[in-house]
């Protein structure tokens, strides 16, 4: 019997503090109308606690998920954390999260593929389930984007927010779960979206801090052009490969970087915005947390057997699509 990897539970954590467009208007030369029209973002959440990072938010999301599913942390065999803002360069945030939630039987590692991190992690995790070697995996996307955003830059500070989302992955023999996935990358896109310093090329120094090289550097229009094309392409590819028509799709779960990119993807798929999980207006781009946060907010509307298309695009460039038959 064929084993597929099925998402059997979802949960999320968002910090309390709301950074609104109105607050940004007070410090930068921008306005609510520009931000809403160009990006569709009204507010984002910010983790204000200086001593808390991505592991804290990941652990909060994971603990809620375990409680909801009545599962002991001791039953978790593997934890994969998707993040571009790990607590530290090493050890892996996944190891810290395992310790925080008491998952002492689990091994774990981090996956970093910018805004595609969660989908890359979910695809990786699915192989451990499909091979029959693992039965309970936590895949968590968590990013404290406020730690790498330059709040004096109006081009990037409007876009990002902090959050975490977690999914439980288990085996299914019911012909549901992750049915198909296709990941892509093109490293020649590096120059358009990256954090210059903090790695081995430009280690932290006085100069790197003064020159603001530890923040997000982005050529917005270049990223936008590529994201619009690739998210739509991969969504269409998922539909064609799996012989799905627009009517067959229950929901599109897109990475949320810009409302206009999402609309273009829905348009190519021939589906209305009523079938799109869209919460960018309340959270902005939460990088690795976006997709599990959406699934959590829409969980009540999902039915067993629903066809869901996931799409993502991020720095690298990285992008990908996934076809999921919802399992509960
Ligand atoms: N408020 C007001 N004006 C702003 C602004 C802001 N927050 N940010 C930029 N502008 C200005 C620019 O300075 C520029 O002015 P100029 O023409 O006088 O130079 C003008 O608006 C247009 O800037 P541009 O960067 O071309 O805007 P845009 O329409 O491309 O929108 C983004 C900017 C960032 C919203 C858009 O490019 C985008 O969403 N890119 C993709 C982002 C993304 O997906 N990132 C993550 C990938 S996962």
């Amino acid at each position: 019997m064929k084993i597929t990897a099925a998402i059997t539970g979802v949960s999320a954590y968002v910090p309390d503090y709301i950074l609104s467009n109105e607050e940004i208007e007070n410090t930068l030369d921008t306005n609510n109308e520009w931000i809403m029209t160009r990006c569709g973002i009204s507010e984002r959440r910010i983790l204000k606690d200086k001593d808390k990072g991505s592991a804290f938010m990941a652990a909060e999301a994971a603990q809620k998920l375990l409680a909801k599913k009545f599962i002991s942390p001791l039953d978790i065999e593997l934890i994969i954390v998707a993040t571009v803002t790990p607590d530290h360069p090493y050890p892996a945030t996944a190891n810290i999260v395992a310790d925080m939630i008491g998952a002492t039987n689990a091994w774990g590692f981090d996956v970093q593929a910018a805004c595609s991190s969660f989908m890359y992690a979910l695809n990786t995790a699915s192989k451990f389930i499909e091979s029959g070697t693992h039965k309970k995996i936590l895949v968590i996307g968590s990013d404290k984007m406020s730690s790498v955003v330059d709040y004096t830059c109006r081009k990037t500070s409007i876009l990002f927010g902090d959050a975490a989302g977690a999914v439980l992955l288990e085996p299914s023999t019911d012909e549901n779960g992750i049915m198909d996935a296709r990941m892509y990358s093109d490293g020649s896109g590096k120059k358009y979206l990256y954090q210059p310093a903090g790695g081995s090329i430009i280690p932290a120094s006085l100069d790197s801090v003064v020159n603001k090289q530890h923040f997000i550097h982005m050529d917005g229009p270049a990223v936008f052009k590529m994201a619009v094309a690739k998210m739509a392409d991969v969504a269409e590819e998922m539909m064609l490969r799996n012989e799905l028509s627009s009517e067959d799709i229950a929901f599109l779960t897109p990475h949320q970087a810009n409302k206009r990119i999402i609309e273009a993807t829905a348009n190519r798929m021939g589906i209305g915005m009523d079938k799109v999980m869209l919460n960018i207006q309340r959270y902005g781009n939460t990088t690795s947390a976006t997709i599990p946060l959406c699934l959590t907010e829409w969980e009540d509307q999902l039915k067993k057997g629903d066809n869901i298309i996931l799409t993502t695009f991020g720095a690298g460039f990285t992008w990908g699509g996934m076809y999921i038959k919802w399992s509960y």
Side-chain angles (χ1 to χ4, degrees):
M1 214 177 320
K2 190 170 181 253
I3 301 172
T4 52
I7 293 175
T8 55
V10 292
S11 196
Y13 169 83
V14 293
D16 293 332
Y17 189 85
I18 297 175
L19 175 61
S20 65
N21 287 351
E22 288 65 35
E23 186 179 339
I24 295 180
E25 271 177 5
N26 292 333
T27 50
L28 293 176
D29 179 18
T30 187
N31 58 74
N32 178 54
E33 205 219 324
W34 194 96
I35 303 171
M36 283 303 285
T37 323
R38 305 308 293 163
C39 327
I41 301 168
S42 169
E43 58 191 42
R44 348 60 211 121
R45 299 301 180 107
I46 305 294
L47 184 62
K48 286 283 186 183
D49 313 55
K50 292 249 181 305
D51 59 337
K52 294 191 172 101
S54 296
F56 164 78
M57 295 191 292
E60 289 287 314
Q63 266 159 345
K64 272 200 245 177
L65 177 52
L66 294 177
K68 195 164 136 182
K69 293 287 295 177
F70 301 104
I71 288 173
S72 160
L74 299 175
D75 292 337
I76 300 300
E77 296 158 311
L78 167 62
I79 297 176
I80 306 182
V81 171
T83 187
V84 299
T85 52
D87 277 17
H88 309 281
Y90 57 88
T93 300
N95 307 143
I96 301 169
V97 173
D99 180 53
M100 280 174 159
I101 68 173
T104 47
N105 293 321
W107 65 294
F109 56 91
D110 293 355
V111 166
Q112 200 277 81
C115 288
S116 303
S117 300
F118 181 79
M119 199 187 288
Y120 273 39
L122 189 58
N123 192 30
T124 304
S126 72
K127 307 304 167 198
F128 289 99
I129 298 282
E130 288 165 8
S131 67
T133 58
H134 290 66
K135 298 211 162 27
K136 281 189 174 38
I137 303 179
L138 282 179
V139 185
I140 311 169
S142 183
D143 269 308
K144 186 178 177 181
M145 294 308 290
S146 59
S147 66
V148 290
V149 164
D150 174 5
Y151 284 100
T152 65
C153 169
R154 68 175 181 175
K155 290 188 179 185
T156 50
S157 62
I158 57 167
L159 298 174
F160 297 94
D162 303 338
V167 307
L168 179 67
L169 214 56
E170 293 183 280
S172 164
T173 50
D174 225 5
E175 289 181 4
N176 56 39
I178 298 172
M179 310 306 287
D180 193 16
R182 179 73 166 95
M183 307 291 125
Y184 289 95
S185 72
D186 174 4
S188 70
K190 174 195 129 173
K191 56 184 174 292
Y192 300 114
L193 180 52
Y194 73 126
Q195 182 184 315
S200 56
I201 296 286
I202 310 176
S205 68
L206 206 51
D207 276 352
S208 70
V209 173
V210 169
N211 295 329
K212 298 188 168 191
Q213 290 178 297
H214 294 271
F215 293 130
I216 298 163
H217 286 239
M218 182 175 76
D219 176 343
V223 176
F224 184 89
K225 214 169 121 195
M226 192 74 173
V228 161
K230 295 303 180 190
M231 285 240 311
D233 284 354
V234 81
E236 189 177 38
E237 184 183 353
M238 280 298 109
M239 290 174 72
L240 288 172
R241 266 161 63 132
N242 295 286
E243 298 178 359
L244 296 166
S245 71
S246 312
E247 289 72 42
D248 296 327
I249 307 293
F251 284 102
L252 164 68
T253 315
H255 176 59
Q256 323 258 322
N258 186 311
K259 190 172 172 223
R260 291 180 291 142
I261 299 173
I262 297 169
E263 285 166 348
T265 306
N267 197 29
R268 176 85 75 82
M269 293 171 73
I271 61 169
M273 289 304 283
D274 55 318
K275 287 188 173 185
V276 179
M277 297 186 191
L278 186 77
N279 59 13
I280 189 172
Q281 62 279 16
R282 284 180 289 126
Y283 303 118
N285 181 351
T286 56
T287 306
S288 311
T290 299
I291 287 178
L293 178 57
C294 274
L295 291 174
T296 304
E297 293 207 322
W298 266 261
E299 185 185 25
D300 289 349
Q301 297 179 48
L302 300 176
K303 297 186 301 295
K304 188 172 180 174
D306 273 354
N307 293 317
I308 304 174
I309 299 290
L310 273 49
T311 58
T312 193
F313 185 86
F317 294 120
T318 54
W319 66 102
M322 197 175 261
Y323 163 37
I324 292 181
K325 227 177 214 318
W326 198 246
S327 72
Y328 63 99

